[in-house]
Each structure stands twice: as structure tokens, then as C-alpha cells.
Amino acid sequence: MAELGGADGGQDPAAVSELQRLVAAEQQRAQFTAQVHNFMDVCWDKCVDKPGSKLDSRTEGCLASCVDRFIDTTLSITNRFAQILQKGGH
């Protein structure tokens, strides 16, 4: 990556842009991780009655359906925001 500060104390615009891109990507990664943990907590509380050494088929199916619903909802919301942004609305 290019140096952020130039000889005159200014900042290299390309380096600043790259840094902003990397920070944004890291923020998205952190947000995704937090969302996954939230989904796991919600689905665990909804589906697991009593923890054991193995999941029974009902619990396994409930967890899979719960996660699928969250993924579908997240994709739907993401697609809707993308449509709004493409139309220029905020």
C-alpha cells in the first residue's frame, strides 16, 4: 500500500481511498459476524429446549429452518436497499 503522508505533509489520495475501502470492508465483515452471532442466539433460544450431547432431528430441522429464514430475510432487505441506491434514493 502507498504511503499516506507525502513529503509536503499531504496525503496521497489513492492511499487514503484504499485505506477507506479496507476500513469499510472490515466494518462489513464485523457487522456480518455480529449478525451471525445474533442469528445463532435467536435460533438457539427458539429451537433448543435442553442442550445435550447430540441434537435430535426436530431441533436440527428447527435450527436449519430458522437460519434459512434469517438468510432469506437478510438477502431480501439487502436487495431492496440495493434497488433504492440504484434509483438514487437514500
PDB file of all heavy atoms in Angstrom, residues 10-45:
ATOM      1  N   GLY A  10       1.114  16.276   2.990  1.00  0.00           N
ATOM      2  CA  GLY A  10      -0.214  15.978   2.456  1.00  0.00           C
ATOM      3  C   GLY A  10      -0.458  14.483   2.432  1.00  0.00           C
ATOM      4  O   GLY A  10       0.407  13.680   2.768  1.00  0.00           O
ATOM      5  N   GLN A  11      -1.620  14.095   2.040  1.00  0.00           N
ATOM      6  CA  GLN A  11      -1.969  12.681   1.972  1.00  0.00           C
ATOM      7  C   GLN A  11      -2.151  12.273   0.522  1.00  0.00           C
ATOM      8  O   GLN A  11      -2.717  13.014  -0.277  1.00  0.00           O
ATOM      9  CB  GLN A  11      -3.243  12.415   2.765  1.00  0.00           C
ATOM     10  CG  GLN A  11      -3.077  12.686   4.241  1.00  0.00           C
ATOM     11  CD  GLN A  11      -4.363  12.410   5.004  1.00  0.00           C
ATOM     12  OE1 GLN A  11      -5.442  12.360   4.424  1.00  0.00           O
ATOM     13  NE2 GLN A  11      -4.247  12.237   6.295  1.00  0.00           N
ATOM     14  N   ASP A  12      -1.658  11.082   0.225  1.00  0.00           N
ATOM     15  CA  ASP A  12      -1.813  10.509  -1.109  1.00  0.00           C
ATOM     16  C   ASP A  12      -3.284  10.096  -1.273  1.00  0.00           C
ATOM     17  O   ASP A  12      -3.762   9.221  -0.557  1.00  0.00           O
ATOM     18  CB  ASP A  12      -0.877   9.303  -1.245  1.00  0.00           C
ATOM     19  CG  ASP A  12      -1.021   8.594  -2.570  1.00  0.00           C
ATOM     20  OD1 ASP A  12      -1.682   9.133  -3.480  1.00  0.00           O
ATOM     21  OD2 ASP A  12      -0.453   7.489  -2.706  1.00  0.00           O
ATOM     22  N   PRO A  13      -4.014  10.695  -2.201  1.00  0.00           N
ATOM     23  CA  PRO A  13      -5.444  10.387  -2.370  1.00  0.00           C
ATOM     24  C   PRO A  13      -5.697   8.900  -2.645  1.00  0.00           C
ATOM     25  O   PRO A  13      -6.683   8.343  -2.164  1.00  0.00           O
ATOM     26  CB  PRO A  13      -5.875  11.242  -3.551  1.00  0.00           C
ATOM     27  CG  PRO A  13      -4.872  12.344  -3.628  1.00  0.00           C
ATOM     28  CD  PRO A  13      -3.589  11.763  -3.105  1.00  0.00           C
ATOM     29  N   ALA A  14      -4.824   8.274  -3.412  1.00  0.00           N
ATOM     30  CA  ALA A  14      -5.008   6.847  -3.712  1.00  0.00           C
ATOM     31  C   ALA A  14      -4.857   6.016  -2.441  1.00  0.00           C
ATOM     32  O   ALA A  14      -5.610   5.059  -2.218  1.00  0.00           O
ATOM     33  CB  ALA A  14      -4.012   6.390  -4.770  1.00  0.00           C
ATOM     34  N   ALA A  15      -3.907   6.376  -1.593  1.00  0.00           N
ATOM     35  CA  ALA A  15      -3.685   5.638  -0.349  1.00  0.00           C
ATOM     36  C   ALA A  15      -4.851   5.848   0.612  1.00  0.00           C
ATOM     37  O   ALA A  15      -5.301   4.904   1.276  1.00  0.00           O
ATOM     38  CB  ALA A  15      -2.376   6.069   0.303  1.00  0.00           C
ATOM     39  N   VAL A  16      -5.347   7.070   0.683  1.00  0.00           N
ATOM     40  CA  VAL A  16      -6.490   7.363   1.547  1.00  0.00           C
ATOM     41  C   VAL A  16      -7.710   6.586   1.064  1.00  0.00           C
ATOM     42  O   VAL A  16      -8.438   5.991   1.862  1.00  0.00           O
ATOM     43  CB  VAL A  16      -6.775   8.881   1.590  1.00  0.00           C
ATOM     44  CG1 VAL A  16      -8.094   9.160   2.307  1.00  0.00           C
ATOM     45  CG2 VAL A  16      -5.630   9.622   2.264  1.00  0.00           C
ATOM     46  N   SER A  17      -7.933   6.562  -0.229  1.00  0.00           N
ATOM     47  CA  SER A  17      -9.053   5.828  -0.806  1.00  0.00           C
ATOM     48  C   SER A  17      -8.943   4.336  -0.502  1.00  0.00           C
ATOM     49  O   SER A  17      -9.934   3.691  -0.139  1.00  0.00           O
ATOM     50  CB  SER A  17      -9.102   6.068  -2.315  1.00  0.00           C
ATOM     51  OG  SER A  17     -10.137   5.329  -2.891  1.00  0.00           O
ATOM     52  N   GLU A  18      -7.744   3.795  -0.650  1.00  0.00           N
ATOM     53  CA  GLU A  18      -7.509   2.370  -0.357  1.00  0.00           C
ATOM     54  C   GLU A  18      -7.760   2.079   1.120  1.00  0.00           C
ATOM     55  O   GLU A  18      -8.374   1.073   1.471  1.00  0.00           O
ATOM     56  CB  GLU A  18      -6.080   1.982  -0.756  1.00  0.00           C
ATOM     57  CG  GLU A  18      -5.684   0.570  -0.394  1.00  0.00           C
ATOM     58  CD  GLU A  18      -6.415  -0.506  -1.173  1.00  0.00           C
ATOM     59  OE1 GLU A  18      -7.172  -0.190  -2.105  1.00  0.00           O
ATOM     60  OE2 GLU A  18      -6.234  -1.700  -0.831  1.00  0.00           O
ATOM     61  N   LEU A  19      -7.288   2.951   1.989  1.00  0.00           N
ATOM     62  CA  LEU A  19      -7.500   2.773   3.420  1.00  0.00           C
ATOM     63  C   LEU A  19      -8.987   2.821   3.751  1.00  0.00           C
ATOM     64  O   LEU A  19      -9.481   2.004   4.528  1.00  0.00           O
ATOM     65  CB  LEU A  19      -6.734   3.843   4.210  1.00  0.00           C
ATOM     66  CG  LEU A  19      -6.822   3.741   5.727  1.00  0.00           C
ATOM     67  CD1 LEU A  19      -6.294   2.394   6.210  1.00  0.00           C
ATOM     68  CD2 LEU A  19      -6.055   4.871   6.376  1.00  0.00           C
ATOM     69  N   GLN A  20      -9.708   3.752   3.154  1.00  0.00           N
ATOM     70  CA  GLN A  20     -11.153   3.843   3.372  1.00  0.00           C
ATOM     71  C   GLN A  20     -11.857   2.577   2.900  1.00  0.00           C
ATOM     72  O   GLN A  20     -12.774   2.083   3.549  1.00  0.00           O
ATOM     73  CB  GLN A  20     -11.730   5.062   2.660  1.00  0.00           C
ATOM     74  CG  GLN A  20     -11.342   6.374   3.311  1.00  0.00           C
ATOM     75  CD  GLN A  20     -11.772   7.585   2.500  1.00  0.00           C
ATOM     76  OE1 GLN A  20     -11.986   7.496   1.292  1.00  0.00           O
ATOM     77  NE2 GLN A  20     -11.881   8.731   3.162  1.00  0.00           N
ATOM     78  N   ARG A  21     -11.419   2.049   1.768  1.00  0.00           N
ATOM     79  CA  ARG A  21     -12.009   0.812   1.239  1.00  0.00           C
ATOM     80  C   ARG A  21     -11.755  -0.350   2.197  1.00  0.00           C
ATOM     81  O   ARG A  21     -12.661  -1.135   2.489  1.00  0.00           O
ATOM     82  CB  ARG A  21     -11.423   0.500  -0.142  1.00  0.00           C
ATOM     83  CG  ARG A  21     -12.100  -0.668  -0.837  1.00  0.00           C
ATOM     84  CD  ARG A  21     -11.363  -1.097  -2.089  1.00  0.00           C
ATOM     85  NE  ARG A  21     -10.049  -1.643  -1.812  1.00  0.00           N
ATOM     86  CZ  ARG A  21      -9.821  -2.862  -1.303  1.00  0.00           C
ATOM     87  NH1 ARG A  21     -10.834  -3.654  -1.001  1.00  0.00           N
ATOM     88  NH2 ARG A  21      -8.596  -3.294  -1.099  1.00  0.00           N
ATOM     89  N   LEU A  22     -10.526  -0.442   2.719  1.00  0.00           N
ATOM     90  CA  LEU A  22     -10.190  -1.523   3.646  1.00  0.00           C
ATOM     91  C   LEU A  22     -10.963  -1.404   4.958  1.00  0.00           C
ATOM     92  O   LEU A  22     -11.443  -2.404   5.501  1.00  0.00           O
ATOM     93  CB  LEU A  22      -8.683  -1.534   3.930  1.00  0.00           C
ATOM     94  CG  LEU A  22      -7.799  -1.950   2.758  1.00  0.00           C
ATOM     95  CD1 LEU A  22      -6.321  -1.729   3.093  1.00  0.00           C
ATOM     96  CD2 LEU A  22      -8.046  -3.398   2.377  1.00  0.00           C
ATOM     97  N   VAL A  23     -11.111  -0.188   5.454  1.00  0.00           N
ATOM     98  CA  VAL A  23     -11.869   0.027   6.688  1.00  0.00           C
ATOM     99  C   VAL A  23     -13.339  -0.351   6.472  1.00  0.00           C
ATOM    100  O   VAL A  23     -13.944  -1.018   7.312  1.00  0.00           O
ATOM    101  CB  VAL A  23     -11.730   1.489   7.176  1.00  0.00           C
ATOM    102  CG1 VAL A  23     -12.742   1.811   8.265  1.00  0.00           C
ATOM    103  CG2 VAL A  23     -10.312   1.751   7.669  1.00  0.00           C
ATOM    104  N   ALA A  24     -13.900   0.052   5.347  1.00  0.00           N
ATOM    105  CA  ALA A  24     -15.298  -0.279   5.041  1.00  0.00           C
ATOM    106  C   ALA A  24     -15.492  -1.792   4.946  1.00  0.00           C
ATOM    107  O   ALA A  24     -16.474  -2.336   5.462  1.00  0.00           O
ATOM    108  CB  ALA A  24     -15.740   0.402   3.749  1.00  0.00           C
ATOM    109  N   ALA A  25     -14.548  -2.470   4.301  1.00  0.00           N
ATOM    110  CA  ALA A  25     -14.641  -3.936   4.176  1.00  0.00           C
ATOM    111  C   ALA A  25     -14.559  -4.595   5.550  1.00  0.00           C
ATOM    112  O   ALA A  25     -15.299  -5.546   5.837  1.00  0.00           O
ATOM    113  CB  ALA A  25     -13.533  -4.456   3.261  1.00  0.00           C
ATOM    114  N   GLU A  26     -13.700  -4.093   6.415  1.00  0.00           N
ATOM    115  CA  GLU A  26     -13.562  -4.658   7.761  1.00  0.00           C
ATOM    116  C   GLU A  26     -14.818  -4.391   8.587  1.00  0.00           C
ATOM    117  O   GLU A  26     -15.265  -5.250   9.336  1.00  0.00           O
ATOM    118  CB  GLU A  26     -12.330  -4.084   8.465  1.00  0.00           C
ATOM    119  CG  GLU A  26     -12.007  -4.756   9.764  1.00  0.00           C
ATOM    120  CD  GLU A  26     -11.800  -6.261   9.657  1.00  0.00           C
ATOM    121  OE1 GLU A  26     -11.215  -6.726   8.658  1.00  0.00           O
ATOM    122  OE2 GLU A  26     -12.233  -6.994  10.578  1.00  0.00           O
ATOM    123  N   GLN A  27     -15.414  -3.231   8.412  1.00  0.00           N
ATOM    124  CA  GLN A  27     -16.663  -2.929   9.113  1.00  0.00           C
ATOM    125  C   GLN A  27     -17.780  -3.860   8.654  1.00  0.00           C
ATOM    126  O   GLN A  27     -18.571  -4.337   9.470  1.00  0.00           O
ATOM    127  CB  GLN A  27     -17.073  -1.470   8.889  1.00  0.00           C
ATOM    128  CG  GLN A  27     -16.212  -0.476   9.652  1.00  0.00           C
ATOM    129  CD  GLN A  27     -16.528   0.960   9.291  1.00  0.00           C
ATOM    130  OE1 GLN A  27     -16.942   1.272   8.168  1.00  0.00           O
ATOM    131  NE2 GLN A  27     -16.325   1.860  10.238  1.00  0.00           N
ATOM    132  N   GLN A  28     -17.842  -4.130   7.348  1.00  0.00           N
ATOM    133  CA  GLN A  28     -18.846  -5.062   6.825  1.00  0.00           C
ATOM    134  C   GLN A  28     -18.629  -6.462   7.381  1.00  0.00           C
ATOM    135  O   GLN A  28     -19.580  -7.151   7.742  1.00  0.00           O
ATOM    136  CB  GLN A  28     -18.809  -5.096   5.299  1.00  0.00           C
ATOM    137  CG  GLN A  28     -19.395  -3.874   4.659  1.00  0.00           C
ATOM    138  CD  GLN A  28     -19.305  -3.923   3.141  1.00  0.00           C
ATOM    139  OE1 GLN A  28     -18.449  -4.603   2.573  1.00  0.00           O
ATOM    140  NE2 GLN A  28     -20.184  -3.189   2.476  1.00  0.00           N
ATOM    141  N   ARG A  29     -17.372  -6.872   7.448  1.00  0.00           N
ATOM    142  CA  ARG A  29     -17.043  -8.197   7.981  1.00  0.00           C
ATOM    143  C   ARG A  29     -17.458  -8.292   9.453  1.00  0.00           C
ATOM    144  O   ARG A  29     -18.051  -9.286   9.879  1.00  0.00           O
ATOM    145  CB  ARG A  29     -15.550  -8.460   7.810  1.00  0.00           C
ATOM    146  CG  ARG A  29     -15.161  -9.897   7.888  1.00  0.00           C
ATOM    147  CD  ARG A  29     -13.704 -10.212   7.567  1.00  0.00           C
ATOM    148  NE  ARG A  29     -12.829  -9.117   7.246  1.00  0.00           N
ATOM    149  CZ  ARG A  29     -12.469  -8.759   6.011  1.00  0.00           C
ATOM    150  NH1 ARG A  29     -12.923  -9.421   4.980  1.00  0.00           N
ATOM    151  NH2 ARG A  29     -11.651  -7.742   5.808  1.00  0.00           N
ATOM    152  N   ALA A  30     -17.184  -7.262  10.232  1.00  0.00           N
ATOM    153  CA  ALA A  30     -17.556  -7.246  11.647  1.00  0.00           C
ATOM    154  C   ALA A  30     -19.075  -7.249  11.809  1.00  0.00           C
ATOM    155  O   ALA A  30     -19.619  -7.937  12.687  1.00  0.00           O
ATOM    156  CB  ALA A  30     -16.945  -6.029  12.333  1.00  0.00           C
ATOM    157  N   GLN A  31     -19.771  -6.494  10.964  1.00  0.00           N
ATOM    158  CA  GLN A  31     -21.228  -6.441  11.026  1.00  0.00           C
ATOM    159  C   GLN A  31     -21.825  -7.811  10.674  1.00  0.00           C
ATOM    160  O   GLN A  31     -22.759  -8.275  11.326  1.00  0.00           O
ATOM    161  CB  GLN A  31     -21.741  -5.372  10.069  1.00  0.00           C
ATOM    162  CG  GLN A  31     -23.221  -5.116  10.167  1.00  0.00           C
ATOM    163  CD  GLN A  31     -23.664  -3.977   9.259  1.00  0.00           C
ATOM    164  OE1 GLN A  31     -23.044  -3.711   8.233  1.00  0.00           O
ATOM    165  NE2 GLN A  31     -24.738  -3.314   9.623  1.00  0.00           N
ATOM    166  N   PHE A  32     -21.268  -8.454   9.671  1.00  0.00           N
ATOM    167  CA  PHE A  32     -21.739  -9.785   9.285  1.00  0.00           C
ATOM    168  C   PHE A  32     -21.532 -10.777  10.425  1.00  0.00           C
ATOM    169  O   PHE A  32     -22.430 -11.555  10.757  1.00  0.00           O
ATOM    170  CB  PHE A  32     -21.004 -10.264   8.023  1.00  0.00           C
ATOM    171  CG  PHE A  32     -21.364 -11.659   7.615  1.00  0.00           C
ATOM    172  CD1 PHE A  32     -22.564 -11.921   6.978  1.00  0.00           C
ATOM    173  CD2 PHE A  32     -20.509 -12.712   7.881  1.00  0.00           C
ATOM    174  CE1 PHE A  32     -22.904 -13.212   6.606  1.00  0.00           C
ATOM    175  CE2 PHE A  32     -20.842 -14.009   7.514  1.00  0.00           C
ATOM    176  CZ  PHE A  32     -22.040 -14.259   6.873  1.00  0.00           C
ATOM    177  N   THR A  33     -20.350 -10.736  11.045  1.00  0.00           N
ATOM    178  CA  THR A  33     -20.049 -11.645  12.152  1.00  0.00           C
ATOM    179  C   THR A  33     -21.016 -11.416  13.319  1.00  0.00           C
ATOM    180  O   THR A  33     -21.540 -12.375  13.894  1.00  0.00           O
ATOM    181  CB  THR A  33     -18.595 -11.462  12.624  1.00  0.00           C
ATOM    182  OG1 THR A  33     -17.727 -11.753  11.525  1.00  0.00           O
ATOM    183  CG2 THR A  33     -18.262 -12.370  13.787  1.00  0.00           C
ATOM    184  N   ALA A  34     -21.276 -10.154  13.638  1.00  0.00           N
ATOM    185  CA  ALA A  34     -22.214  -9.844  14.720  1.00  0.00           C
ATOM    186  C   ALA A  34     -23.611 -10.345  14.377  1.00  0.00           C
ATOM    187  O   ALA A  34     -24.324 -10.878  15.240  1.00  0.00           O
ATOM    188  CB  ALA A  34     -22.234  -8.336  14.967  1.00  0.00           C
ATOM    189  N   GLN A  35     -23.999 -10.203  13.113  1.00  0.00           N
ATOM    190  CA  GLN A  35     -25.314 -10.662  12.689  1.00  0.00           C
ATOM    191  C   GLN A  35     -25.420 -12.188  12.798  1.00  0.00           C
ATOM    192  O   GLN A  35     -26.434 -12.710  13.257  1.00  0.00           O
ATOM    193  CB  GLN A  35     -25.575 -10.209  11.253  1.00  0.00           C
ATOM    194  CG  GLN A  35     -26.983 -10.410  10.794  1.00  0.00           C
ATOM    195  CD  GLN A  35     -27.212  -9.822   9.415  1.00  0.00           C
ATOM    196  OE1 GLN A  35     -26.302  -9.723   8.600  1.00  0.00           O
ATOM    197  NE2 GLN A  35     -28.447  -9.434   9.127  1.00  0.00           N
ATOM    198  N   VAL A  36     -24.380 -12.887  12.411  1.00  0.00           N
ATOM    199  CA  VAL A  36     -24.378 -14.348  12.514  1.00  0.00           C
ATOM    200  C   VAL A  36     -24.518 -14.774  13.977  1.00  0.00           C
ATOM    201  O   VAL A  36     -25.298 -15.674  14.302  1.00  0.00           O
ATOM    202  CB  VAL A  36     -23.098 -14.952  11.885  1.00  0.00           C
ATOM    203  CG1 VAL A  36     -22.938 -16.412  12.261  1.00  0.00           C
ATOM    204  CG2 VAL A  36     -23.143 -14.801  10.368  1.00  0.00           C
ATOM    205  N   HIS A  37     -23.796 -14.108  14.868  1.00  0.00           N
ATOM    206  CA  HIS A  37     -23.893 -14.436  16.296  1.00  0.00           C
ATOM    207  C   HIS A  37     -25.304 -14.158  16.820  1.00  0.00           C
ATOM    208  O   HIS A  37     -25.846 -14.944  17.604  1.00  0.00           O
ATOM    209  CB  HIS A  37     -22.858 -13.652  17.103  1.00  0.00           C
ATOM    210  CG  HIS A  37     -21.476 -14.187  16.946  1.00  0.00           C
ATOM    211  ND1 HIS A  37     -21.028 -15.300  17.623  1.00  0.00           N
ATOM    212  CD2 HIS A  37     -20.450 -13.782  16.179  1.00  0.00           C
ATOM    213  CE1 HIS A  37     -19.780 -15.557  17.275  1.00  0.00           C
ATOM    214  NE2 HIS A  37     -19.404 -14.650  16.390  1.00  0.00           N
ATOM    215  N   ASN A  38     -25.900 -13.074  16.366  1.00  0.00           N
ATOM    216  CA  ASN A  38     -27.264 -12.761  16.765  1.00  0.00           C
ATOM    217  C   ASN A  38     -28.221 -13.849  16.276  1.00  0.00           C
ATOM    218  O   ASN A  38     -29.085 -14.315  17.031  1.00  0.00           O
ATOM    219  CB  ASN A  38     -27.679 -11.391  16.229  1.00  0.00           C
ATOM    220  CG  ASN A  38     -29.077 -11.014  16.663  1.00  0.00           C
ATOM    221  OD1 ASN A  38     -29.432 -11.155  17.829  1.00  0.00           O
ATOM    222  ND2 ASN A  38     -29.874 -10.542  15.730  1.00  0.00           N
ATOM    223  N   PHE A  39     -28.077 -14.257  15.010  1.00  0.00           N
ATOM    224  CA  PHE A  39     -28.929 -15.327  14.465  1.00  0.00           C
ATOM    225  C   PHE A  39     -28.776 -16.602  15.287  1.00  0.00           C
ATOM    226  O   PHE A  39     -29.756 -17.269  15.602  1.00  0.00           O
ATOM    227  CB  PHE A  39     -28.558 -15.641  13.021  1.00  0.00           C
ATOM    228  CG  PHE A  39     -28.868 -14.551  12.044  1.00  0.00           C
ATOM    229  CD1 PHE A  39     -28.296 -14.569  10.789  1.00  0.00           C
ATOM    230  CD2 PHE A  39     -29.708 -13.504  12.354  1.00  0.00           C
ATOM    231  CE1 PHE A  39     -28.566 -13.579   9.863  1.00  0.00           C
ATOM    232  CE2 PHE A  39     -29.993 -12.500  11.441  1.00  0.00           C
ATOM    233  CZ  PHE A  39     -29.406 -12.546  10.189  1.00  0.00           C
ATOM    234  N   MET A  40     -27.539 -16.924  15.614  1.00  0.00           N
ATOM    235  CA  MET A  40     -27.291 -18.142  16.387  1.00  0.00           C
ATOM    236  C   MET A  40     -27.989 -18.071  17.747  1.00  0.00           C
ATOM    237  O   MET A  40     -28.618 -19.040  18.184  1.00  0.00           O
ATOM    238  CB  MET A  40     -25.786 -18.363  16.572  1.00  0.00           C
ATOM    239  CG  MET A  40     -25.100 -18.803  15.301  1.00  0.00           C
ATOM    240  SD  MET A  40     -23.288 -18.895  15.364  1.00  0.00           S
ATOM    241  CE  MET A  40     -22.894 -19.317  17.006  1.00  0.00           C
ATOM    242  N   ASP A  41     -27.912 -16.922  18.409  1.00  0.00           N
ATOM    243  CA  ASP A  41     -28.563 -16.767  19.711  1.00  0.00           C
ATOM    244  C   ASP A  41     -30.074 -16.902  19.603  1.00  0.00           C
ATOM    245  O   ASP A  41     -30.704 -17.624  20.388  1.00  0.00           O
ATOM    246  CB  ASP A  41     -28.224 -15.396  20.327  1.00  0.00           C
ATOM    247  CG  ASP A  41     -26.802 -15.310  20.843  1.00  0.00           C
ATOM    248  OD1 ASP A  41     -26.158 -16.368  21.028  1.00  0.00           O
ATOM    249  OD2 ASP A  41     -26.333 -14.174  21.060  1.00  0.00           O
ATOM    250  N   VAL A  42     -30.664 -16.207  18.621  1.00  0.00           N
ATOM    251  CA  VAL A  42     -32.118 -16.241  18.445  1.00  0.00           C
ATOM    252  C   VAL A  42     -32.572 -17.666  18.121  1.00  0.00           C
ATOM    253  O   VAL A  42     -33.518 -18.189  18.728  1.00  0.00           O
ATOM    254  CB  VAL A  42     -32.572 -15.248  17.353  1.00  0.00           C
ATOM    255  CG1 VAL A  42     -34.030 -15.461  16.981  1.00  0.00           C
ATOM    256  CG2 VAL A  42     -32.339 -13.813  17.817  1.00  0.00           C
ATOM    257  N   CYS A  43     -31.902 -18.297  17.168  1.00  0.00           N
ATOM    258  CA  CYS A  43     -32.305 -19.641  16.756  1.00  0.00           C
ATOM    259  C   CYS A  43     -32.078 -20.655  17.877  1.00  0.00           C
ATOM    260  O   CYS A  43     -32.891 -21.565  18.074  1.00  0.00           O
ATOM    261  CB  CYS A  43     -31.561 -20.055  15.483  1.00  0.00           C
ATOM    262  SG  CYS A  43     -32.090 -19.117  14.030  1.00  0.00           S
ATOM    263  N   TRP A  44     -30.995 -20.491  18.610  1.00  0.00           N
ATOM    264  CA  TRP A  44     -30.720 -21.408  19.733  1.00  0.00           C
ATOM    265  C   TRP A  44     -31.840 -21.294  20.765  1.00  0.00           C
ATOM    266  O   TRP A  44     -32.392 -22.294  21.214  1.00  0.00           O
ATOM    267  CB  TRP A  44     -29.370 -21.082  20.363  1.00  0.00           C
ATOM    268  CG  TRP A  44     -29.012 -22.001  21.482  1.00  0.00           C
ATOM    269  CD1 TRP A  44     -29.263 -21.823  22.806  1.00  0.00           C
ATOM    270  CD2 TRP A  44     -28.348 -23.259  21.370  1.00  0.00           C
ATOM    271  NE1 TRP A  44     -28.795 -22.885  23.530  1.00  0.00           N
ATOM    272  CE2 TRP A  44     -28.228 -23.790  22.678  1.00  0.00           C
ATOM    273  CE3 TRP A  44     -27.839 -23.983  20.294  1.00  0.00           C
ATOM    274  CZ2 TRP A  44     -27.616 -25.010  22.932  1.00  0.00           C
ATOM    275  CZ3 TRP A  44     -27.227 -25.209  20.557  1.00  0.00           C
ATOM    276  CH2 TRP A  44     -27.121 -25.709  21.854  1.00  0.00           C
ATOM    277  N   ASP A  45     -32.191 -20.055  21.144  1.00  0.00           N
ATOM    278  CA  ASP A  45     -33.246 -19.852  22.139  1.00  0.00           C
ATOM    279  C   ASP A  45     -34.586 -20.379  21.647  1.00  0.00           C
ATOM    280  O   ASP A  45     -35.372 -20.915  22.429  1.00  0.00           O
ATOM    281  CB  ASP A  45     -33.382 -18.367  22.480  1.00  0.00           C
ATOM    282  CG  ASP A  45     -32.187 -17.826  23.247  1.00  0.00           C
ATOM    283  OD1 ASP A  45     -31.394 -18.627  23.800  1.00  0.00           O
ATOM    284  OD2 ASP A  45     -32.020 -16.583  23.292  1.00  0.00           O
TER     285      ASP A  45
END
